[in-house]
Amino acid sequence: MSLKRALRAAAVAVAVLLPWMGSPSQAQEWRGWNIHVPDYPNSRGMDRFGELVMQRTNNRIRMRTYHNATLGQQDEAIQQMRLGTIDFANYNLSPFNNLAPSTNVVTLPFIFRDVPHLHRVMDGPVGEALARDLEAIGIIALAWYDAGARSFYTRDRQIRTPEDMRGLKIRVQTSDLWIDMMRALGANPTPLPFGEVYTALQSGVIDGAENNWPSYESQRHFEHARIYSTTEHSNVPEVLAVSRQRWQRLNDQERNILRDAARESAAFQRQLWAERERRSREIVVAAGVTVVDITDRRPFANLMESVYAKHAGTPQLQALVRRIRETE
Ligand code: BDP
């Protein structure tokens, strides 16, 4: 090979390899995935995370969050992070149920006693076990976001007892645990992406769905599902995560900056969350939604034994369930 050709080949190799080597001091653009509207607590938490990282790295890591699921629905976005085409995101933990076993434990119905209990669990050893499982599939968990309690909302039927759920077509996230939970209640589970729920409610393809107050309100599901019954059957939390591919190329100082920024953004999100739950409830009530307040949830909880046995039945998962129950 002539010297000229060898030099040209070397130059091409450098041009191709440089972006992959990604030396940490080099400026980087990070794309963030988010499913929610821009003023949602999680969206504002992610924006705060991005601002803090940019400031503290002197704009070496530039972060932009794409709200409103413009980069795709949740299941696709998880795959994209694993492939390294999405760099950071806020995900609900249910879509990980079939991928990372310990996420089943925090999705289980009626597992948390209240919000302070949930925070203590997530900020302790159970949270660490979840983070290890997520890392194994390419997702680095930096902090946990609140997602409140999920309840059923329906087009026509008020839900007071499990008998009221019989035969109802209820939308769920893509997760075997959720499918079995609905079956145990006598309902007919229909997995659908979040972005399709509004139209499915409108057209009557489904009879109802389940979510927290802020999602029910901000996605305008209340326009077609006019009855909200406070079963509060799950408190599955959310993660603020970055892709392992990006993470592996950061130095220690950068990792610390990201961890601190994530922790601060989670404290901010949790504070906004509590306010937004109240406000969303007020908005839908003012819009004429019927709220069915359920005070005795035991008839629902009593039907969940088979779900616990099937989805948290291994010794490891049983140990995590025990840990959660023993957490003060
Ligand atoms: C919302 C979560 C979001 C989920 C959505 C759903 O914040 O991540 O995608 O529920 O039900 O509460 O799909």
Side-chain angles (χ1 to χ4, degrees):
M1 196 190 305
S2 74
L3 180 62
K4 220 170 160 185
R5 273 180 66 193
L7 282 176
R8 200 179 309 130
V12 169
V14 167
V16 170
L17 285 175
L18 250 188
W20 298 102
M21 290 163 32
S23 106
S25 54
Q26 186 180 296
Q28 309 176 19
E29 288 275 342
W30 285 37
R31 297 199 316 157
W33 175 85
N34 176 33
I35 205 162
H36 291 291
V37 296
D39 77 340
Y40 203 81
N42 307 32
S43 314
R44 294 179 58 196
M46 286 187 77
D47 288 341
R48 172 70 60 95
F49 173 65
E51 283 155 22
L52 292 173
V53 171
M54 289 202 279
Q55 267 167 26
R56 293 173 188 174
T57 61
N58 296 320
N59 281 332
R60 219 171 46 243
I61 302 182
R62 303 185 58 80
M63 300 192 126
R64 167 150 180 221
T65 304
Y66 293 79
H67 301 300
N68 282 324
T70 42
L71 298 183
Q73 288 299 315
Q74 190 135 236
D75 291 333
E76 298 150 32
I78 291 171
Q79 292 313 323
Q80 287 196 54
M81 179 172 281
R82 299 179 70 187
L83 294 169
T85 52
I86 280 177
D87 307 302
F88 67 109
N90 160 227
Y91 300 116
N92 186 268
L93 290 176
S94 294
F96 290 100
N97 290 163
N98 299 353
L99 302 168
S102 60
T103 61
N104 283 289
V105 170
V106 292
T107 306
L108 285 169
F110 306 105
I111 185 85
F112 295 111
R113 287 192 293 276
D114 49 29
V115 175
H117 179 227
L118 167 93
H119 288 169
R120 281 192 295 274
V121 167
M122 295 310 287
D123 296 335
V126 174
E128 285 161 24
L130 282 164
R132 276 194 300 276
D133 259 13
L134 289 171
E135 178 161 3
I137 58 159
I139 310 279
I140 306 293
L142 294 183
W144 310 110
Y145 278 8
D146 272 352
R150 298 175 75 103
S151 289
F152 292 106
Y153 43 90
T154 37
R155 282 163 47 99
D156 319 296
R157 210 182 297 169
Q158 300 198 356
I159 295 168
R160 292 177 193 279
T161 67
E163 286 77 65
D164 299 324
M165 303 223 36
R166 198 153 300 280
L168 282 183
K169 272 189 102 172
I170 300 287
R171 175 270 173 173
V172 291
Q173 301 190 66
T174 331
S175 142
D176 292 342
L177 191 159
W178 274 103
I179 290 177
D180 288 332
M181 205 196 297
M182 292 308 116
R183 291 199 178 129
L185 290 170
N188 185 353
T190 309
L192 275 181
F194 193 43
E196 290 174 24
V197 178
Y198 182 90
T199 333
L201 286 170
Q202 184 177 35
S203 65
V205 163
I206 52 174
D207 301 307
E210 52 78 56
N211 220 312
N212 49 49
W213 290 106
S215 282
Y216 174 58
E217 174 264 311
S218 65
Q219 295 294 315
R220 312 207 61 80
H221 294 170
F222 70 90
E223 292 178 357
H224 299 291
R226 308 286 294 157
I227 305 163
Y228 191 96
S229 308
T230 63
T231 45
E232 301 193 348
H233 48 270
S234 174
N235 276 73
V236 55
E238 314 223 338
V239 63
L240 177 63
V242 306
S243 99
R244 192 178 60 197
Q245 302 210 18
R246 279 287 191 193
W247 189 252
Q248 281 168 341
R249 288 186 247 141
L250 297 178
N251 62 33
D252 284 347
Q253 191 207 4
E254 290 166 330
R255 288 183 180 182
N256 287 337
I257 290 176
L258 262 73
R259 281 197 193 287
D260 289 345
R263 226 171 284 130
E264 289 170 46
S265 92
F268 179 56
Q269 188 270 349
R270 285 175 179 187
Q271 191 189 324
L272 294 175
W273 182 263
E275 291 163 23
R276 180 64 182 246
E277 267 189 329
R278 272 193 299 277
R279 192 153 62 80
S280 292
R281 185 179 173 141
E282 281 166 16
I283 292 171
V284 300
V285 167
V289 159
T290 303
V291 179
V292 178
D293 262 316
I294 298 177
T295 43
D296 184 9
R297 303 192 171 90
R298 275 170 306 181
F300 295 90
N302 288 343
L303 293 172
M304 294 300 135
E305 221 168 274
S306 62
V307 178
Y308 274 67
K310 182 163 168 196
H311 295 280
T314 65
Q316 289 93 322
L317 298 185
Q318 280 176 344
L320 288 178
V321 169
R322 227 173 301 124
R323 265 212 123 109
I324 296 180
R325 292 205 163 128
E326 283 162 9
T327 303
E328 292 286 297

